[in-house]
Amino acid sequence: EFGMSPTLVTVFTLISGISWTIVYIDIINRGFKDKSYGMPLFALAFNITWEFIFGFLVGNGFDLQKIVTCVWFILDAAIVFTYFKYGRREFPKTVGKFFIPWSVVAFIIGFTTIYFMQLEFQGLWGARYSAFAQNLMMSILFIGMLVGRNNVDGQSIYIAIFKCLGTLAPTIQTYLGTGSKLILILGIGIFLYDAIYIGILYQKFIELGLNPFTRKPVV
C-alpha cells in the first residue's frame, strides 16, 4: 500500500479480519439460538457476493486479505442458511409465495452490481468502492432491522461493536494508503451509523431488562 509499511497493512488487515469473523460467528450463533437471522437480506446479498467475487474470481494468489475474504465467505454462507431457514416467518404472509423470488433476486443484483463495478474500476478500486458502499448500506439496514423488529433477535452488542471496529480499521488503512477522500467519507458515515446502532441496541437491551453484554435479566 502506498504510504504504509507492510507491517501496518498486516496489522489493520488482521484487526478487520478478526473483528468481522467475530461478527459473523456471533450472527450465526444468535441466528440459531433466536431462530432468526442477524443480517438484513440486501446487506447479506451484497456482502457474500463481494466475498465470492474477490475471494475466488478476481486476483491471483493468496495474500492475507484473500485468505480472510474466503473465511468470511464460508461464514456468510452459514448466515445465508439461517436467512432461508428462518426468514420466511418475518415475510408478510399475504405475499409469502414471493419470499424465494424476492430473496434470490437480491443475490443476483448483489453479484452483478459488484462484478461489473470491479470491471469498470481499475486495480483494487472496484473492490474498495463496492466494499465501503455496501458496508454503509449494511450499517443503515442493521438499524432498520432493529427498529422494525423492535426486539434483539439475531443481534448482540458484540456484533455491533466488532462490526464498527472491523470497518474502522480498513477505513484508516485505505485512507492512509491511498489518500481517497471518498473512502474516508464513506468510512466516516459507516462509523457514525454503527455508533448509532450500538446506542439503539444498548437502549433496547435496557428496555427489555437485560444486561447488554450477558443478556441476563438486570436485577
Side-chain angles (χ1 to χ4, degrees):
E1 293 284 338
F2 176 77
M4 292 188 69
S5 70
T7 301
L8 204 54
V9 171
T10 300
V11 169
F12 279 119
T13 302
L14 285 173
I15 291 173
S16 175
I18 293 170
S19 295
W20 272 104
T21 299
I22 292 171
V23 169
Y24 292 151
I25 290 172
D26 204 19
I27 287 176
I28 295 166
N29 176 52
R30 292 309 329 165
F32 284 112
K33 281 188 175 179
D34 300 337
K35 291 182 169 46
S36 183
Y37 61 94
M39 189 179 292
L41 171 61
F42 285 92
L44 180 57
F46 276 76
N47 208 43
I48 194 169
T49 53
W50 187 94
E51 291 156 356
F52 180 72
I53 289 168
F54 295 106
F56 300 99
L57 298 185
V58 177
N60 297 315
F62 276 89
D63 58 10
L64 179 58
Q65 182 59 60
K66 187 174 279 285
I67 292 170
V68 167
T69 301
C70 291
V71 171
W72 287 345
F73 173 80
I74 294 168
L75 293 172
D76 246 346
I79 298 174
V80 171
F81 177 80
T82 62
Y83 170 78
F84 282 102
K85 183 175 177 63
Y86 302 117
R88 189 182 291 272
R89 67 185 62 180
E90 294 189 29
F91 202 73
K93 290 181 174 55
T94 53
V95 289
K97 64 183 179 181
F98 292 102
F99 172 71
I100 294 297
W102 156 264
S103 303
V104 170
V105 168
F107 289 93
I108 294 172
I109 294 298
F111 178 87
T112 52
T113 299
I114 293 172
Y115 185 76
F116 283 101
M117 200 170 187
Q118 68 87 23
L119 286 180
E120 292 203 11
F121 290 96
Q122 298 296 315
L124 295 174
W125 288 108
R128 290 170 177 147
Y129 288 146
S130 57
F132 282 90
Q134 61 105 352
N135 215 306
L136 178 58
M137 174 181 69
M138 183 187 297
S139 296
I140 296 168
L141 291 175
F142 262 90
I143 295 172
M145 181 176 70
L146 174 59
V147 173
R149 285 178 174 171
N150 200 30
N151 61 43
V152 294
D153 289 353
Q155 301 165 88
S156 80
I157 201 72
Y158 297 106
I159 292 169
I161 291 171
F162 281 103
K163 179 193 177 308
C164 182
L165 182 60
T167 307
L168 181 61
T171 298
I172 297 170
Q173 175 188 340
T174 306
Y175 178 67
L176 293 179
T178 68
S180 171
K181 293 181 175 59
L182 176 56
I183 295 294
L184 178 62
I185 292 301
L186 290 170
I188 291 172
I190 293 164
F191 177 79
L192 292 175
Y193 277 115
D194 283 349
I196 292 170
Y197 177 59
I198 292 170
I200 296 174
L201 185 59
Y202 186 93
Q203 180 178 304
K204 178 53 65 176
F205 272 108
I206 298 302
E207 287 176 2
L208 294 171
L210 300 174
N211 182 308
F213 297 95
T214 64
R215 300 179 85 96
K216 293 181 179 178
V218 178
V219 179

